[in-house]
Amino acid sequence: MAFDQLSTKLQDVFKQLKSKGKLTDKEVKIALKEVKLALLEADVNFKVVKEFIKIVQERAVGVEVLESLTPGQQVIKIVNEELTNLMGSTQSKILFASKGITPIMMVGLQGAGKTTTSAKLASLIKSQGKRPLLVACDIYRPAAVDQLKKVGSQVHVPVFDMGIEVNPVDIAIAGMAYAKENNHDVVLIDTAGRLHIDEVLMDELKFIKKEVKPQEILLVVDAMTGQDAVNVAETFNSALGIDGVVMTKLDGDNRGGAALSVKAVTQKPIKYVGMGEKVSDLEVFHPERMASRILGMGDVLTLIEKAQQNIDEQKAKELEAKMRKADFNFDDFLEQMQQVKNMGPLGDIIGMLPGANTAKMGDLEIDDKQLAHIEAIILSMTKEERANPEILNMSRKKLISSWWLNFRHSQAKN
């Protein structure tokens, strides 16, 4: 899970601070030394860590903490505020043009997930009432155009392409003309990437930028590459001038060093983060919420937003009424479980609860496949059994168990 390693270590440090009624300068400095080591182990840029600790220490050894009634909590408050500042203070939104078309260039190296992210972002923009168009300008990577068409169809966003024989700059220009003719107000240009940064790549991107004049240039980087992602961001920003970063695979990075470093190094904000493979797994980046997650304070606002997006309010009320009347059957349970699954991986949901730390849950296995197993067991019941659980006698249970064992056996073979 994202930031698990860092979150565990920081929570251990602050647990010791909160247990003390008073704090001396020495105790604060010892705690911040542990914070420094935790950040470095999380692969946060050394210069960023050095500056971060300096700022926190200046605040923490002063009157603000030492004369506080709860000095330990005051230190945590300061660290929380500075972590938020480190990642950009507030949410950074895409600046859409007040009239006409908003061109957005999607840039980055191969393997970062740029094409898939372009479609995910198009879907998110579409949900805001816009009419996006995807433009396929990656003519070099095998099947890149076909991939964009595939993911575009999944999110029901049209894709403009001219094959792989046309110059990408001409494709971008033609895509803008097509968008104007067909009343699209946002154009996302999926540009070509390379395995590494080179002069040819940058020249092509500069030509597209010159002709299209993008409102936003978003750099897509892979969070799991750590400081390499930060170096890539710094190089792209120097050569091209990016407006923001989209960080993919953050759900698979338990260190989080790139997310904590990129804003400080490039002075460009993280605008979105990829938290899974589904098209809905692109999230707006909120620095203050991410800081709260890291410090074990949870992220209730994001949890509420996910619930609002994925849970049918009317059905939830109906289920609540059934539970109050003790009229809750397996069909109801199945429906409720499916709505929870729509909110994302269970580990992510638990991580949004205040005080929860998935890395410290020991033997508790958070395996989303178990939900599929439970679903299979319920679906193996007859319609009558699901509606009336009280009729599940031993004979019926044996039949369900037998079916379930056969199902597990077939799954194991595959």
Side-chain angles (χ1 to χ4, degrees):
M1 303 305 299
F3 298 106
D4 266 357
Q5 178 181 311
L6 176 61
S7 182
T8 298
K9 293 189 176 181
L10 291 183
Q11 286 181 53
D12 286 342
V13 173
F14 296 140
K15 185 178 180 182
Q16 296 175 30
L17 287 181
K18 285 192 289 187
S19 66
K20 297 182 180 182
K22 284 189 175 183
L23 288 177
T24 64
D25 283 2
K26 184 179 179 182
E27 287 170 329
V28 171
K29 288 176 181 177
I30 290 172
L32 290 181
K33 184 178 179 181
E34 293 297 318
V35 172
K36 179 180 180 180
L37 289 172
L39 290 169
L40 290 173
E41 288 177 11
D43 200 26
V44 181
N45 180 279
F46 174 75
K47 291 180 181 178
V48 173
V49 173
K50 187 178 178 181
E51 183 64 22
F52 175 82
I53 294 298
K54 178 185 174 184
I55 294 171
V56 173
Q57 188 163 306
E58 286 174 355
R59 294 183 60 185
V61 298
V63 175
E64 188 174 349
V65 167
L66 301 183
E67 293 188 7
S68 169
L69 292 174
T70 55
Q73 291 180 356
Q74 193 69 18
V75 172
I76 297 169
K77 178 176 179 289
I78 291 170
V79 172
N80 184 30
E81 289 171 355
E82 294 305 328
L83 274 177
T84 302
N85 290 336
L86 192 64
M87 292 184 285
S89 299
T90 57
Q91 174 201 349
S92 180
K93 300 179 181 179
I94 286 180
L95 299 174
F96 294 104
S98 57
K99 60 179 181 178
I101 298 171
T102 300
I104 300 173
M105 272 181 71
M106 305 295 290
V107 302
L109 297 182
Q110 280 186 17
K114 177 165 48 60
T115 298
T116 304
T117 299
S118 297
K120 287 181 177 181
L121 182 56
S123 178
L124 199 60
I125 289 171
K126 184 180 177 182
S127 70
Q128 298 171 4
K130 303 289 185 180
R131 298 189 68 251
L133 173 72
L134 288 160
V135 177
C137 286
D138 185 354
I139 64 170
Y140 309 109
R141 182 170 60 87
V145 175
D146 290 336
Q147 183 191 359
L148 188 64
K149 287 180 178 179
K150 181 179 179 181
V151 291
S153 67
Q154 289 174 1
V155 297
H156 308 292
V157 173
V159 175
F160 176 85
D161 82 286
M162 298 174 70
I164 59 173
E165 303 297 329
V166 182
N167 185 288
V169 180
D170 294 333
I171 296 173
I173 295 170
M176 289 293 292
Y178 179 88
K180 186 176 182 180
E181 291 169 6
N182 291 273
N183 298 316
H184 292 283
D185 51 12
V186 179
V187 174
L188 292 105
I189 302 169
D190 180 31
T191 65
R194 300 283 192 281
L195 293 175
H196 59 276
I197 297 169
D198 60 22
E199 191 175 342
V200 175
L201 168 66
M202 286 303 173
D203 284 345
E204 181 175 289
L205 295 176
K206 287 174 183 177
F207 285 133
I208 294 175
K209 177 183 177 180
K210 181 181 178 182
E211 293 297 331
V212 173
K213 297 179 176 55
Q215 181 82 4
E216 298 257 341
I217 299 178
L218 298 181
L219 173 67
V220 181
V221 295
D222 182 346
M224 296 185 71
T225 59
Q227 285 309 296
D228 282 344
V230 180
N231 296 334
V232 167
E234 190 173 21
T235 305
F236 265 88
N237 187 46
S238 297
L240 197 63
I242 63 173
D243 297 290
V245 174
V246 182
M247 194 159 284
T248 62
K249 307 175 191 176
L250 190 61
D251 57 314
D253 178 25
N254 69 352
R255 295 179 301 170
L260 286 167
S261 304
V262 71
K263 170 63 170 65
V265 172
T266 66
Q267 295 303 306
K268 303 298 180 180
I270 300 172
K271 296 203 173 188
Y272 299 93
V273 289
M275 299 297 288
E277 295 180 1
K278 295 190 297 184
V279 293
S280 59
D281 290 336
L282 185 70
E283 297 181 5
V284 173
F285 185 72
H286 296 273
E288 71 284 0
R289 299 185 191 182
M290 193 58 72
S292 291
R293 284 198 213 184
I294 293 170
L295 297 179
M297 300 173 185
D299 184 0
V300 177
L301 286 175
T302 298
L303 185 60
I304 291 170
E305 287 173 0
K306 280 184 172 288
Q308 289 174 334
Q309 290 167 8
N310 295 287
I311 293 178
D312 187 308
E313 188 177 350
Q314 184 58 40
K315 287 183 178 179
K317 287 180 180 178
E318 290 172 2
L319 288 173
E320 181 187 359
K322 285 192 171 188
M323 291 179 76
R324 289 181 182 276
K325 295 177 182 177
D327 187 26
F328 191 76
N329 59 37
F330 279 112
D331 281 324
D332 299 323
F333 176 67
L334 186 63
E335 186 174 294
Q336 192 171 56
M337 188 172 66
Q338 287 169 340
Q339 292 198 48
V340 170
K341 280 172 64 179
N342 288 338
M343 290 175 64
L346 284 177
D348 286 355
I349 296 171
I350 292 172
M352 293 177 198
L353 300 173
N357 187 337
T358 53
K360 279 194 158 188
M361 291 184 179
D363 295 331
L364 177 62
E365 294 184 10
I366 305 173
D367 186 357
D368 291 273
K369 290 180 181 177
Q370 294 299 322
L371 292 181
H373 293 169
I374 295 170
E375 187 175 346
I377 291 172
I378 296 173
L379 292 174
S380 71
M381 301 176 186
T382 65
K383 188 175 181 180
E384 186 183 9
E385 288 167 345
R386 293 200 299 271
N388 303 286
E390 63 274 6
I391 69 171
L392 285 169
N393 55 29
M394 188 55 67
S395 175
R396 289 176 182 268
K397 288 177 183 178
K398 283 181 179 179
L399 282 171
I400 294 167
S401 298
S402 175
W403 186 93
W404 169 238
L405 288 172
N406 288 333
F407 171 77
R408 288 294 298 271
H409 183 66
S410 65
Q411 289 289 96
K413 277 187 173 180
N414 295 332

